[in-house]
Structures are given as C-alpha cells and as structure tokens.
Amino acid sequence: MAFNRKKKPIKTSKRPAKKKPAQKRTSIFKNEKARFIFGILLLLIGAYLLISFVSFLFYGAADQSIMDSSMRQFLFNSDVKAQNKGMKFGAYLSEVIINRGFGIASFVFIYLIIISGLKVLGRTIESYRKNLVFSIITILWLSIALGLLFNKSESGSFIYLGGRYGFVMSNFLRSLIGVVGLVFLLFITGLTIVITRFDKAFPMMKDLFKRKSKEDSLEADDMEIDEPVSSSELLVEDNAISKVIDDDDVVRAIFEPDAEEEVMTPIVDDLEMETLVIEEEQVVIPPSKGEEDLALVVKPKIEEEKTDNVQPDELEDYDPTLDLSSYKFPTLELLEDHKFGNAEVKNEELVANKNKIVETLRHYKIEITKIRATIGPTITLYEIVPAPGVRISKIKNLEDDIALSLAALGIRIIAPIPGRGTIGIEVPNLHPEAVSMRSVIASKKFQETTAELPIAIGKTISNETYLIDLAKMPHILVAGATGQGKSVGVNAIITSLLYKKHPSQLKFVFIDPKKVELNLYSIIEKHYLAKLPDEEEAVITDIQKVKTTLNSINVEMDSRYDLLKKAHTRNLKEYNKKFISRKLNPDKGHKFMPYIVVIIDEFADLIMTAGKEIELPIARIAQLARAVGIHMIIATQRPSVTIITGVIKANFPARIAFKVASMIDSRTILDQPGANQLIGKGDMLISANSDVTRVQCAFVDTPEVERICEFISEQRGYPTAFMLPEYVGDEEAGPGQVDLNNKDDIFEDAARIVVSNQMGSTSMIQRKFSIGYNRAGRVMDQLEAAGIVGPSEGSKARQVLLQDEYSLEQLLNSL
C-alpha cells in the first residue's frame, strides 16, 4: 500500500479585521468657521485647477508664446492675454505643474485637493490616508511610465505627457537597468500597487492562475498508460506526472516525509492496471495476488475550515411602521401663515416705554443703572438693573403704577428673573404679532428634535419656538377662562404630535363632553384613535362611556406593566427598543406598544356629573401610567378648587394657564399669581420643572385642522381603530350574574373589613389588599350578591346591610 504524498496547503482561518478604535478627527483649525472657509477654499482651488488643466490640453500651444515672455511683462502687461479658461495664472500653473512637473499624472493632484476639502468640511472619506499615499505613488509611477513611453516628444508638440520629472527619472533608470529592466520594474511595481490598493484584485489574479492549472490537470487525465506494473507497486498521478513507488518508498513517505522521492523504473508483470484518475491526497490500494485486479481508491477525510469568529445570523430590526409603510406625514402647505398685517415694534415705541418706566421709577426715588429690551411676538421684556441699595419688593409693588403710566394692560413684573440677576417688566406690544402654527412646525428646533412626544406650542418672549416633551412632563393641565385660547392650545398640541409621530407609534383617546371641540378628529379613527370594542364613535361624549373608557385605560396600564415585568424593562421606551431588536418573543404575548395620549376637554363638566368615579381612575393613571407610555392632557375653563383638586394638582406637574379672571384662579392653576395679568388671545404661562415661562400660543384655525385630518384620512389606515381592553364595571355586572360558588380568595376578609368599617367602597378594597381595580370590583359584586352590601349608588359608597360581625359570620357559614 502506498500514499500519494503532497504538501498540505496551509489553512488560514479568515478572521475579520479588527476595527480600529474611532480616532478623534483632527481639525486644521480649532475654529469651526475657519475650517469651513478653508474647506470651501480647497474645493474652489480644485475646481480652478481642473478648468485650467483641461484648457491647457486644448489651448496650451496658443499660450506658449506668453510663457516665453518675461515675468514682469507676463504679470503686469494687460495686453498679454491667455487662451486658457483660467487666464494667465491658470496657463502658468498648468505649464509649471504639467510640463515642468509630472505630466498628465498631475490630474491626480486635483483629486487629492478635492477629497481633502471634503474632509475638512466634515465629509466622511473612507481610507483617506490610504488614498493619499497611493495617489502620490500613482503620480510618480505614471509619470515615469509616460516618460519612458513618450521619451521623445513629437516635433511641434507643446505638452510632455510624462513631464520633466518623468523624463529625467526614466532616463536615469534606463541608464542603470536598461529599457527591459525598467519595463520589468514598472510592471512589478504597477502590479504591486494594484494588488495592494484594490482588495479584489489579488483574488481575481489568483483564480485566473488556478483556473489554468485545473485545465492542465484535465488534459493529463485524458492520457492512458497501458504499461503493466507489479502488484506491489502503485501508480500515482500528480500534476500530470506519473510516478511508480514501491513499498520502500511508501515507508519513507510515512516516516520520512521530508525525504526526496525517487522515480523508479516499473517492473513488468502479467497484471495490467488501468490508469485511474486520482484526486489530490487520495490513497490507492493496488490488488494483491489472487484477487481481482481492481484497485481500491480511498478518499481522505475532508476537514472544513474553521473560524474563531462565530456569530449567529442577526435578524433585521422589527419596523412597526411597515403596516402603513406608504403613510405620509402632513405637509406644511396644509397650514396657513397667519400675518393679519403684523407690524414690527418700532424704535419709537421702545424708547417711549423705556422713558416712562424710568420716569415712573424716579418718581419713587428708584434709580436704575441699566435697561435693555427683548422683543417678543406679543410682549416686550424690559430688563432693568437697579442701583445698589434698592429693594426688589419696592419695585414689585409698583406694578399698577407702571401699568398706569404706560396705559397698558397685562403689565407683569418678574422680580428677579431667575439666573440673570435682573428685574423684568413685561409690557404688551401696541401691535401684537400672531404666531402661526406653520412657523412653529417649520422651525429647525421642532424638525430636528429627538423627543419622544414633541409638542411645539408657541413662541417665547425671545421669539424662540417653545418645545416640550410630553413623555417627560408626563401629564398636562390646561386651564383658562372662556375665549382665551384654551381650545386652540389643545389643537396645537394635537397638531404637533400628528406632524411628528407615525400612526403605529401614537394613539389618542378623545373625551369631549361638549361634543363639538374634538369631533373634527373622528375621521382619523383608523389611523390615530383608540376606543372601546364594539363602540361606534371614537370620540367619547357620553358620561357613562367616559367612566368605562377610563377604567379600560387602567386595565391597559396594568397589562402593560405585566409585559414590562416579563421583559425586565422599566419603561415603554426600553421595552419597545428590546422588541424592535427582536429580543422579545411575540409568541409569549409581547408586542410593540404605541404611546397613548388621553385628552379630556371640559373636565369641569365631568367632575360635576360623575365626581369621584372620574377623579379616581384619572388619579391612578396620572400616578402610574407614565412608565408605560400613557399620558393625559386635561383642559377646563373653570379653574376652581372644587374642579382642580389636590389629587389632580399633585399628579399634573406641568400646567398651562391662559388668562383667568382673578389672582385666586391663577394660584389654583400655577400656585402663584400671574395668569390674571395676561392679555388673552393665546397669551399663556407654562409651569414646567418649577419654571414659569410666558409663551404666545401658536394659532391653528379650524379649517387647517380639517385639512390635516382629511389629508390623513385619505391615506390607507388600519382595518379598525386601536382597541382598548374590555372593562366590566359595577353597572354592567348585576348580582344575578355573579357565581358565589367561585368566590375570590379574599372574599371573606373583604367582607369583614366592609362590615367593620361600615363602608362598601371598591377603592377601599383595592387599597387594603393592594389589588387592581377590576378584581376589587368583582369582589364588590360578590359581596352584593351575598347580601352584605347594597347596590351601587353612583359616586357614593355602597350601603352595608349587616351591622355586626356576628351576623356576618352566620352568613358566611351559610354560604
């Protein structure tokens, strides 16, 4: 038995090149403006050289005469004109760089200048340094090659294709190694440049040679050898060279792999063996005497290449917007640019107000050292710095006197302005400017925001777009007197969200007891609205359905918290990020969850009608729903303490106050005065994060809202609105529907607590046992069916029918 011994190819595991740590981009100048100017300058230089070089190819011969003139005449004689499109300087540069430099290869310099300019401007250039090095090497190689090919320029030719450098270097190298040696040198260096610069060049050349060797082996396989060999010999075909190896050679092949193989003369025997086409590294066992003359070909084991970098196939991220992939956001053309003949605040008005303020303060012997004005759309802020020793409270008490001297309403003094060390006096403009919703939506601040739920509601005194993130608020209370802009403010909030969030990312729950304010949005039901199952109208107007809807949102909130618990996440943003990256299994109940924004208009009417039945589920949502992406916006025109209770105020830290009638109403909303001094028509104060900011609300008219809703409704939507979970409350489930054979585990304990406290309240059971509202409601139904409490009486607690625990124990034993 013999072996065909071959040198095994060295197996290399292809490891991905380790990414170098991102290096900080070094700037030519520290000043960003200087970098920008320098980058533009490089691009212009590249463009100028390109025009000059190309023109030189066509007009270089005509410009040779002016190149021979003196430098003084060339520069200062206006009669000397060049045909080059870059004029005399372009012709001179072309002559110096091309003819006296590197020839046609000089065009590569333009490429280097352009990519360097883009690099300075901040454009990402892949392998910039590598491009730089190889471009310079290419210039040198190409110049020498052209200098060799066009060593003797044609008579009358004005251009040297290899340039002076190529001419000198090619002649020098020819004198050293000759023409043939220089050709070989250029060939090997050019091949090295191509293989090193282009990653795909080497495999292509390697495959080219491999393909040729395989064709040679196939031709060798077609040859036949009819010479008889002995049974103790082996015929091995290796690269079309036949070798006959005896047993001693086999031994040497096994134990002396480095020993040189000798080709032995075959011994003629009676047996003949047909030539076999043997693949590389195959073992052939020849037939021994007395056996059939069939050789056994044994194929070696094939070891597959292994890689150390084992990575599972990564799935593409889940895209929740694919269901409505063709959805287009509303355009700015749907909004109007409300100008109403606005006039800017004139200098005369500013100077007059400044003089009146200074004069009024001097009447009360208050001197100021500095005053400056900041012009806003509705008001102008005058900041004053009082002289040393002046009390701030003294200026604050002059609010009415300053208003009298300026003959203006809405004067508001901020003493002091937080973080500035000045006192602010807000004075209304004679001609207030309307802030259009279009200008706010089109602002760079809104368009480039990364907020989860961005709301651009208006502009500040400094004429900047005021932007808040509802996800961080997390709930907003909007209050103000009738006709002061409250409904427009709510529409501005909704419009901001519609312009920024996809229908798969956001759902609204609209509650409108007035029935006309939010009804405009009913046509986008299948895109943005959420409602109860089997409910006809998406905008809820019935009080009874409002209670059911709010309790249903509580159920949705509890189910979302269960999913967050299973996913080991703390908020909706983290959960959706995990789901999008396919780290959560939908088969286990996980799903992409959109934000839900609950908007309640005329909250006062709901409180007067349903009272605690409305307030309690709202308070629970406000306390807990932030983490699961459920946010509330409540609007009311009656900012009294009976409407905006302590529970509401405690859970609505962000508040928007439009003009109100009295300071008491302002304190009810903002916990401070100021809203009573607003001028109306969208003028508002926003309290967020303990800061109060005066903002002019953006104006969006009803026809604009209609156009936006029509634009959305005309596009393909979901089959139905977003369905909230079903809720079965006390009103829907009567005693006859309760099965006392399947009582809750806490039934008896709950009965004892109700009888001992003599109060049948679902919220008390919920609080005592730390259970959800739905389970507490079912326990209360069972207590009613057992005769322990009476039927529901609306917002009042149920009547307890048993007076002592002894009667209760007898009843429980009978059950």
Side-chain angles (χ1 to χ4, degrees):
M1 182 173 67
F3 300 91
N4 178 21
R5 177 168 58 84
K6 281 192 175 182
K7 294 182 180 179
K8 294 184 178 180
I10 299 174
K11 296 180 180 178
T12 58
S13 60
K14 296 180 181 178
R15 298 182 180 178
K18 294 182 179 178
K19 292 182 179 179
K20 296 181 180 179
Q23 298 179 350
K24 292 184 178 179
R25 187 174 60 198
T26 57
S27 302
I28 298 176
F29 302 102
K30 292 183 179 180
N31 191 324
E32 186 176 359
K33 294 180 180 179
R35 288 200 308 271
F36 179 79
I37 294 172
F38 184 66
I40 294 296
L41 180 63
L42 287 177
L43 294 179
L44 293 177
I45 291 174
Y48 180 76
L49 287 178
L50 180 61
I51 295 171
S52 300
F53 285 8
V54 174
S55 298
F56 181 76
L57 299 179
F58 295 97
Y59 305 109
D63 292 337
Q64 287 300 307
S65 59
I66 66 172
M67 292 294 130
D68 298 333
S69 60
S70 64
M71 182 60 65
R72 182 182 181 87
Q73 186 178 4
F74 177 80
L75 291 176
F76 301 106
N77 190 352
S78 59
D79 295 332
V80 177
K81 295 183 180 180
Q83 298 294 323
N84 193 295
K85 299 300 181 183
M87 302 309 292
K88 290 191 290 186
F89 189 63
Y92 177 75
L93 286 178
S94 303
E95 173 69 21
V96 170
I97 298 175
I98 295 178
N99 278 349
R100 304 177 192 177
F102 300 92
I104 297 299
S106 302
F107 276 89
V108 182
F109 282 121
I110 300 175
Y111 167 74
L112 290 179
I113 294 173
I114 290 176
I115 65 171
S116 298
L118 295 175
K119 180 75 173 177
V120 172
L121 289 174
R123 182 78 174 267
T124 302
I125 305 296
E126 296 183 359
S127 306
Y128 172 74
R129 293 183 179 178
K130 187 176 180 181
N131 286 335
L132 195 64
V133 173
F134 278 100
S135 297
I136 295 174
I137 295 173
T138 302
I139 292 172
L140 300 177
W141 185 91
L142 191 58
S143 179
I144 296 173
L146 292 174
L148 176 63
L149 293 175
F150 304 97
N151 193 264
K152 295 182 179 179
S153 60
E154 298 178 0
S155 60
S157 176
F158 68 93
I159 187 170
Y160 297 98
L161 297 179
R164 178 179 295 175
Y165 173 83
F167 177 78
V168 173
M169 287 302 300
S170 62
N171 287 339
F172 171 72
L173 292 174
R174 277 200 310 174
S175 64
L176 288 179
I177 57 178
V179 177
V180 177
L182 181 55
V183 170
F184 286 166
L185 179 62
L186 289 174
F187 175 76
I188 191 64
T189 53
L191 186 64
T192 304
I193 293 172
V194 172
I195 292 176
T196 309
R197 176 62 182 86
F198 303 103
D199 296 334
K200 295 182 179 181
F202 178 67
M204 290 175 61
M205 294 183 181
K206 189 177 178 182
D207 293 341
L208 182 63
F209 286 102
K210 278 186 176 181
R211 198 174 299 116
K212 188 174 182 181
S213 63
K214 288 181 181 179
E215 292 173 358
D216 294 341
S217 64
L218 290 175
E219 291 177 2
D221 292 340
D222 295 336
M223 297 173 63
E224 294 185 358
I225 300 176
D226 296 332
E227 293 180 344
V229 296
S230 65
S231 60
S232 62
E233 296 177 346
L234 171 66
L235 179 63
V236 180
E237 183 174 325
D238 183 10
N239 293 335
I241 299 174
S242 298
K243 296 181 181 180
V244 181
I245 305 172
D246 59 13
D247 294 340
D248 293 335
D249 293 326
V250 175
V251 175
R252 285 198 299 272
I254 297 174
F255 297 102
E256 300 178 12
D258 296 331
E260 185 177 356
E261 296 180 1
E262 297 180 0
V263 181
M264 306 297 294
T265 303
I267 302 173
V268 180
D269 197 4
D270 295 336
L271 295 176
E272 293 182 358
M273 182 172 65
E274 296 180 356
T275 304
L276 301 175
V277 179
I278 304 173
E279 297 178 0
E280 293 183 0
E281 297 190 6
Q282 286 185 348
V283 178
V284 180
I285 305 174
S288 57
K289 292 181 179 181
E291 297 180 357
E292 297 181 2
D293 55 347
L294 291 176
L296 177 63
V297 180
V298 182
K299 291 185 178 181
K301 293 182 179 179
I302 299 175
E303 295 183 3
E304 295 182 354
E305 293 184 359
K306 298 179 181 179
T307 177
D308 296 335
N309 189 17
V310 180
Q311 295 181 349
D313 294 336
E314 294 186 0
L315 297 174
E316 293 183 358
D317 288 346
Y318 170 75
D319 187 1
T321 64
L322 286 180
D323 291 338
L324 296 181
S325 58
S326 61
Y327 176 81
K328 295 181 180 179
F329 287 93
T331 60
L332 288 176
E333 287 70 21
L334 301 174
L335 297 172
E336 297 179 6
D337 192 6
H338 300 283
K339 289 297 182 183
F340 300 132
N342 290 336
E344 296 182 357
V345 179
K346 297 181 180 180
N347 290 333
E348 293 80 2
E349 181 182 346
L350 296 175
V351 173
N353 288 338
K354 184 261 296 184
N355 293 335
K356 290 179 181 178
I357 291 173
V358 173
E359 182 181 357
T360 303
L361 294 175
R362 285 178 178 172
H363 284 328
Y364 296 92
K365 298 180 181 180
I366 297 175
E367 295 292 333
I368 59 176
T369 60
K370 187 184 295 184
I371 183 170
R372 63 182 179 186
T374 303
I375 303 173
T378 306
I379 62 171
T380 298
L381 174 65
Y382 295 88
E383 294 182 64
I384 62 174
V385 179
V390 177
R391 292 184 179 181
I392 295 177
S393 59
K394 192 174 182 181
I395 300 176
K396 180 69 175 174
N397 294 332
L398 296 176
E399 200 167 57
D400 295 335
D401 297 283
I402 295 175
L404 179 62
S405 64
L406 295 175
L409 297 174
I411 298 292
R412 180 169 167 262
I413 295 180
I414 310 170
I417 297 178
R420 293 192 187 179
T422 58
I423 296 175
I425 301 176
E426 295 176 347
V427 180
N429 298 332
L430 290 178
H431 305 285
E433 178 185 356
V435 176
S436 64
M437 195 69 203
R438 177 169 182 163
S439 64
V440 173
I441 295 294
S443 65
K444 183 178 180 181
K445 189 174 184 180
F446 179 77
Q447 293 296 329
E448 296 181 358
T449 181
T450 57
E452 290 294 313
L453 295 174
I455 295 176
I457 197 170
K459 290 190 176 182
T460 61
I461 294 175
S462 56
N463 214 30
E464 295 180 358
T465 299
Y466 187 82
L467 185 71
I468 57 177
D469 187 0
L470 181 59
K472 295 180 179 179
M473 290 295 99
H475 313 289
I476 300 177
L477 172 64
V478 183
T482 303
Q484 302 303 322
K486 174 176 56 64
S487 297
V488 174
V490 172
N491 286 331
I493 293 173
I494 298 172
T495 302
S496 297
L497 295 174
L498 291 178
Y499 266 86
K500 205 65 178 176
K501 304 302 289 184
H502 190 271
S504 63
Q505 301 169 336
L506 174 66
K507 301 297 176 184
F508 289 101
V509 175
F510 289 136
I511 298 176
D512 182 17
K514 197 189 289 185
K515 303 180 181 181
V516 294
E517 290 293 341
L518 301 176
N519 191 47
L520 295 173
Y521 301 98
S522 60
I523 61 175
I524 60 172
E525 172 185 341
K526 295 183 179 180
H527 296 81
Y528 281 101
L529 302 194
K531 66 176 185 178
L532 292 171
D534 302 326
E535 185 66 35
E536 294 182 1
E537 297 181 357
V539 179
I540 300 112
T541 57
D542 184 72
I543 298 298
Q544 188 60 45
K545 293 178 180 178
V546 170
K547 293 187 287 185
T548 306
T549 301
L550 293 174
N551 286 314
S552 176
I553 295 173
N554 274 270
V555 177
E556 173 71 15
M557 178 182 68
D558 293 335
S559 64
R560 288 192 172 199
Y561 267 114
D562 292 338
L563 291 177
L564 261 64
K565 179 181 177 182
K566 293 178 183 178
H568 302 288
T569 54
R570 296 181 301 173
N571 53 56
L572 184 70
K573 185 177 180 180
E574 294 178 3
Y575 177 89
N576 282 340
K577 186 177 181 181
K578 265 192 173 184
F579 187 85
I580 288 174
S581 59
R582 299 187 184 275
K583 295 180 181 179
L584 301 176
N585 189 354
D587 295 336
K588 295 183 179 179
H590 292 291
K591 58 184 177 180
F592 181 84
M593 295 187 289
Y595 285 95
I596 297 178
V597 178
V598 183
I599 298 181
I600 302 177
D601 195 18
E602 298 300 336
F603 178 66
D605 185 58
L606 295 180
I607 291 296
M608 292 176 61
T609 306
K612 293 293 182 182
E613 290 181 282
I614 292 293
E615 185 178 356
L616 291 178
I618 288 177
R620 188 165 185 266
I621 293 171
Q623 289 169 352
L624 302 174
R626 171 184 183 176
V628 292
I630 301 176
H631 306 276
M632 297 194 73
I633 299 173
I634 293 178
T636 180
Q637 62 181 5
R638 294 184 56 189
S640 61
V641 292
T642 57
I643 304 301
I644 305 176
T645 62
V647 176
I648 297 297
K649 290 177 65 175
N651 294 290
F652 284 77
R655 302 166 198 168
I656 298 176
F658 290 87
K659 181 175 175 59
V660 294
S662 64
M663 184 186 298
I664 297 175
D665 291 341
S666 177
R667 290 186 182 276
T668 303
I669 305 169
L670 302 173
D671 293 328
Q672 60 178 295
N676 56 308
Q677 297 168 322
L678 300 176
I679 61 175
K681 296 182 180 180
D683 190 16
M684 60 184 177
L685 294 176
I686 300 179
S687 174
N689 301 322
S690 302
D691 294 330
V692 178
T693 307
R694 191 166 184 175
V695 178
Q696 177 62 37
C697 182
F699 180 72
V700 53
D701 204 358
T702 302
E704 297 175 75
V705 176
E706 290 177 347
R707 287 197 295 269
I708 294 171
C709 293
E710 289 175 1
F711 179 85
I712 296 173
S713 64
E714 289 173 357
Q715 302 183 56
R716 185 175 66 89
Y718 294 101
T720 61
F722 182 83
M723 291 301 171
L724 298 172
E726 292 186 6
Y727 170 77
V728 180
D730 294 340
E731 291 76 15
E732 286 81 4
Q737 297 174 293
V738 178
D739 184 10
L740 292 179
N741 294 325
N742 188 21
K743 295 189 294 293
D744 196 283
D745 295 337
I746 64 170
F747 172 78
E748 295 185 1
D749 294 334
R752 294 186 180 95
I753 289 177
V754 168
V755 172
S756 62
N757 289 279
Q758 286 296 300
M759 184 175 68
S761 170
T762 304
S763 59
M764 182 185 69
I765 297 176
Q766 180 184 359
R767 214 167 38 248
K768 293 287 185 182
F769 294 96
S770 300
I771 60 176
Y773 187 84
N774 293 335
R775 186 180 178 188
R778 288 194 296 270
V779 172
M780 186 59 69
D781 291 339
Q782 293 173 1
L783 294 175
E784 181 183 354
I788 299 174
V789 296
S792 173
E793 298 181 9
S795 60
K796 296 181 180 179
R798 295 172 182 251
Q799 181 182 1
V800 181
L801 303 179
L802 301 179
Q803 303 301 320
D804 51 38
E805 295 186 4
Y806 177 75
S807 303
L808 174 62
E809 294 298 332
Q810 286 183 331
L811 178 60
L812 293 178
N813 292 333
S814 64
L815 294 176

